[in-house]
Amino acid sequence: MPTAYITAPTDAAAELAELLVAERLAACVNRFPCTSVYRWEDEVVHDEEIVLLAKTTDSAWGELVERVEAEHPYDVPCIERFDEDEMLEEFGAWIYEEVE
Amino acid sequence: MPTAYITAPTDAAAELAELLVAERLAACVNRFPCTSVYRWEDEVVHDEEIVLLAKTTDSAWGELVERVEAEHPYDVPCIERFDEDEMLEEFGAWIYEEVE
Amino acid sequence: MPTAYITAPTDAAAELAELLVAERLAACVNRFPCTSVYRWEDEVVHDEEIVLLAKTTDSAWGELVERVEAEHPYDVPCIERFDEDEMLEEFGAWIYEEVE
């Protein structure tokens, strides 16, 4: 089952996480504060951001991506999918229940 | 080699991490503060939690899961396994030494 | 495309992240504060560290690892590679542009 790795600005992250859970596109979202380092106009900058890890299902994945793209303040947001190799069966069942 | 992704309440996380290392079920555990967003009795709630990333071996994986299930305060804890695609060989050797 | 999972001491992490971006070995690096739990001389210790998640390309991976090994203050640093199962196409294109 997919975990979505999404970065968001600090002032948009809580709302984005809430929307994914409220619309049943994710069972839960873990929000982590981080500092992002990247190149901007030939300078290396350090920016406060939030990483969201959203737990969802195969069949909700496509809609989650569309929703994040539509709501996200960046033109090209970081949205990556990582599938776990194994998980506690009851936890997987809970994700299904919450999302589908 | 597996990394375990485990969420835990803030007051139980340090002890759980320590137990996994002390009992040689993990070589090391990284603890990250996070805010978890999920649905509870038809409300979307935001809760402080800790994510543990525990580095372990194939053969210790089953016992690690059993131990976390036994000690964890939740009925259905989030326990997921992610296997890396490559790692520094000497780091993998250190994990083996610590766990096995 | 690979994400590198690297742990570093707090006083070396920002510089290491900046170097990877400045030398175009990573498009961006997310830095997360964490507490690491591990065994040291038969004691279980808890230490503040930073986890770096560096987004890079297949062809830059080998050089990124060499560079981290050369610059990292530990003899055996944690360097692991996790490949995503899917990503927003435009985000992948941006990583290529930044790194190659």
Side-chain angles (χ1 to χ4, degrees), chain B residues 10-31:
Chain B
T10 42
D11 60 358
E15 205 178 334
L16 194 57
E18 177 139 357
L19 175 154
L20 293 178
V21 174
E23 298 186 2
R24 295 191 176 276
L25 296 170
C28 63
V29 180
N30 298 143
R31 283 158 39 201

Side-chain angles (χ1 to χ4, degrees), chain A residues 5 7 32-39 42 44 46 49 51 61 65 69 75-84, chain C residues 3 14 17-18 21-24 27-33 53 55 82-88 90-91 94 98:
Chain A
Y5 184 106
T7 55
F32 302 85
C34 78
T35 307
S36 290
V37 187
Y38 56 95
R39 182 185 302 271
D42 276 327
V44 178
H46 299 242
E49 283 195 316
V51 165
W61 173 257
V65 172
E69 279 198 86
D75 285 342
V76 179
C78 167
I79 310 175
E80 293 185 282
R81 171 180 176 153
F82 293 91
D83 284 89
E84 94 292 346
Chain C
T3 292
E18 177 139 356
V21 174
E23 298 187 2
R24 294 192 175 277
C28 62
V29 180
N30 298 142
R31 283 159 39 202
F32 302 85
L53 294 183
K55 308 290 178 186
F82 293 91
D83 284 90
E84 95 293 347
D85 293 283
E86 205 177 308
M87 81 197 310
L88 196 69
E90 298 91 324
F91 184 71
W94 174 76
E98 289 299 308

Side-chain angles (χ1 to χ4, degrees), chain A residues 41-96:
Chain A
E41 296 179 352
D42 276 327
E43 298 283 326
V44 178
V45 295
H46 299 242
D47 236 15
E48 300 312 302
E49 283 195 316
I50 303 286
V51 165
L52 306 178
L53 294 182
K55 308 290 179 187
T56 190
T57 62
D58 269 345
S59 56
W61 173 257
E63 204 180 331
L64 178 147
V65 172
E66 276 175 35
R67 207 64 182 91
V68 172
E69 279 198 86
E71 293 297 323
H72 203 290
Y74 301 165
D75 285 342
V76 179
C78 167
I79 310 175
E80 293 185 282
R81 171 180 176 153
F82 293 91
D83 284 89
E84 94 292 346
D85 293 283
E86 206 177 306
M87 80 197 310
L88 196 70
E89 212 176 305
E90 297 92 321
F91 185 71
W94 174 75
I95 294 176
Y96 266 113

